[in-house]
Amino acid sequence: MVPPGYHSPMAGQPLRVAVLGAGTVGREVVRALSTGWGQPDLELSGVAVRDLAKAEAAGMPSSRLTDAPAHLIADEADVVVELMGGEEPARTLIAAALGAGLPVVTANKYVLARHGAELERIARESGAALRYEASVMGGTPILRLLAEDLVGARAHAFEGIVNGTTNYILSEMAASGASYEAALAAAQNAGYAEADPTSDVEGGDAADKLVILARLAFGAWLDRGSVVNRSDHGKPGITGVVAEDLAAAADEGLAIRLLARARRGEERGPIGAAVRATAVDARSGFAGTVGVRNRIEIVTDRLGTITIEGPGAGGAATAAAVLADLAAIQGRRGSTWAHLPPASSATSVAPEPASWFEGPSGARYPVER
Ligand code: NAP
Ligand code: HSE
């Protein structure tokens, strides 16, 4: 019998991989699949984009390109890799593939944070695997850590830097005096930012990742709309952070980082969670996490605190997680949540910080020491 989550190709045939999207991440995945990344039983069957000429100019194999993703899925796929981003048509294509029993690998935190519960239900019903390691921390394997390696320990809380673009901006502004605009432009050029960087700088991307982490850490899909991403001054994400605040924080032995924090609530109660520009001890691991790197600390019962740090964005780093998920599908390991019970649902309530740091701009940042 074929195990759940594994779509069986014709006997003796390689698994046909359809890649939707050939941008920063998709390009790297296509290159790996085209140059024999080391998994001989996977074959690139097609690459869906909007602009065929642009993809060809970027070196994508012209014989494999199509602008019809739904047909590619229906006719030439044993596995679907969704790297288009955005809500639609990504959500519909993922749902259709799962509903048809095809395993899906995606990096799309936007879709997962809003439609994760529905996609999990479809995947459980059809038996198709849904894997999404690349959706949080780029290539750094946080989701597998939570969903597999830590199943013997109960996670009480986690906090972390989960957005590479904003961490790059904050640490560049503090270290080199780069302007906000110059640091954002450099992060965009390096391929770290989303197609619309508003979701990075306003904390929406970090809030999406918080929802995905909470599903695996606490067993509940959080209502995305309830996750607060504003600091006390009312400006979202890092949009209210100015150079004068960073300098004043440094004078007091603090650094500013965009932190996503969540704490398990009572059974069926709300989860305490928020994404905020936060003042951290300048000697802490969070302050020492600079550039595009991400860092998450998970507080557990049996293991105490576990920390994971690594690259959080970028084409090559993120492709590493996509390829690891493809190998997991080939190895018949099921969905990212395979070792966990079905999820419940929960809302989020922003916790009140114990103390605040007030910058010269008048903005107040919660203090975490
Ligand atoms: P990107 O550079 O903007 O590339 C998107 C690709 O998808 C392009 O090839 C685009 O084709 C194609 N596409 C978009 N809409 C399409 C449609 N309706 N039909 C067919 N093709 C379509 O994006 P990316 O940075 O690679 O990100 C891809 C996904 O990975 C997103 O979900 C993102 O959040 C996630 N992610 C990115 C990173 C990162 O560091 N970049 C890290 C982790 C996760 P055209 O160019 O022809 O429009
Ligand atoms: N735009 C995202 C970031 C990409 O900067 O973290 C990785 O998810």
Side-chain angles (χ1 to χ4, degrees):
M1 191 187 126
V2 177
Y6 184 73
H7 190 260
S8 179
M10 301 279 286
Q13 299 295 309
L15 217 53
R16 296 169 304 164
V17 183
V19 180
L20 315 183
T24 304
V25 184
R27 265 197 308 273
E28 296 291 336
V29 172
V30 168
R31 282 189 192 123
L33 290 171
S34 310
T35 54
W37 136 70
Q39 301 287 337
D41 296 332
L42 293 174
E43 177 186 276
L44 179 70
S45 62
V47 184
V49 295
R50 280 180 294 212
D51 186 337
L52 297 169
K54 184 175 104 183
E56 211 171 329
M60 295 295 96
S62 52
S63 61
R64 295 272 183 265
L65 288 173
T66 174
D67 57 5
H71 287 119
L72 179 62
I73 293 172
D75 300 336
E76 295 181 60
D78 298 313
V79 187
V80 174
V81 176
E82 187 280 306
L83 297 169
M84 301 190 306
E87 189 158 28
E88 292 293 355
R91 183 197 71 84
T92 299
L93 292 167
I94 294 170
L98 291 172
L102 293 174
V104 174
V105 175
T106 181
N108 197 326
K109 51 271 168 122
Y110 190 95
V111 162
L112 288 162
R114 288 158 185 80
H115 306 289
E118 177 207 2
L119 295 175
E120 179 168 341
R121 180 186 53 74
I122 296 171
R124 285 186 185 276
E125 278 173 14
S126 74
L130 173 59
R131 297 193 67 95
Y132 45 90
E133 183 64 63
S135 63
V136 184
M137 284 190 97
T140 306
I142 175 64
L143 299 190
R144 179 182 164 162
L145 178 73
L146 279 174
E148 294 187 33
D149 302 324
L150 290 179
V151 287
R154 188 174 153 97
H156 290 305
F158 62 83
E159 62 184 333
I161 296 167
V162 294
N163 182 271
T165 300
T166 46
N167 205 56
Y168 183 91
I169 293 171
L170 291 176
S171 51
E172 277 297 300
M173 283 172 72
S176 69
S179 71
Y180 177 93
E181 292 74 18
L184 172 58
Q188 286 178 291
N189 287 339
Y192 303 152
E194 297 302 304
D196 175 1
T198 308
S199 66
D200 292 301
V201 297
E202 293 195 348
D205 179 79
D208 291 348
K209 291 165 177 169
L210 185 153
V211 170
I212 295 166
L213 290 166
R215 156 63 186 103
L216 301 173
F218 307 146
W221 283 108
L222 273 177
D223 168 23
R224 170 63 181 82
S226 68
V227 180
V228 166
N229 64 335
R230 286 173 190 278
S231 291
D232 182 57
H233 48 64
K235 292 202 176 149
I238 65 162
T239 56
V241 182
V242 296
E244 292 73 19
D245 289 352
L246 294 173
D251 288 344
E252 295 201 20
L254 297 167
I256 307 292
R257 293 288 181 268
L258 186 69
L259 287 194
R261 310 184 70 227
R263 177 166 292 279
R264 187 191 282 272
E266 292 183 6
E267 209 60 44
R268 298 187 189 286
I271 287 171
V275 173
R276 285 173 167 150
T278 303
V280 299
D281 191 318
R283 295 160 304 180
S284 67
F286 286 127
T289 302
V290 298
V292 73
R293 291 180 81 77
N294 285 186
R295 174 191 178 92
I296 297 184
E297 296 182 359
I298 308 156
V299 185
T300 75
D301 54 2
R302 296 194 175 89
L303 278 162
T305 299
I306 299 291
T307 301
I308 182 164
E309 191 194 318
T318 307
V322 173
L323 296 172
D325 272 350
L326 276 174
I329 282 174
Q330 216 180 7
R332 308 180 182 203
R333 297 222 321 265
S335 296
T336 296
W337 61 70
H339 301 272
L340 302 171
S344 60
S345 57
T347 53
S348 146
V349 172
E352 188 58 25
S355 63
W356 299 90
F357 162 74
E358 185 165 339
S361 71
R364 293 201 310 159
Y365 303 88
V367 179
E368 288 298 325
R369 292 210 181 252

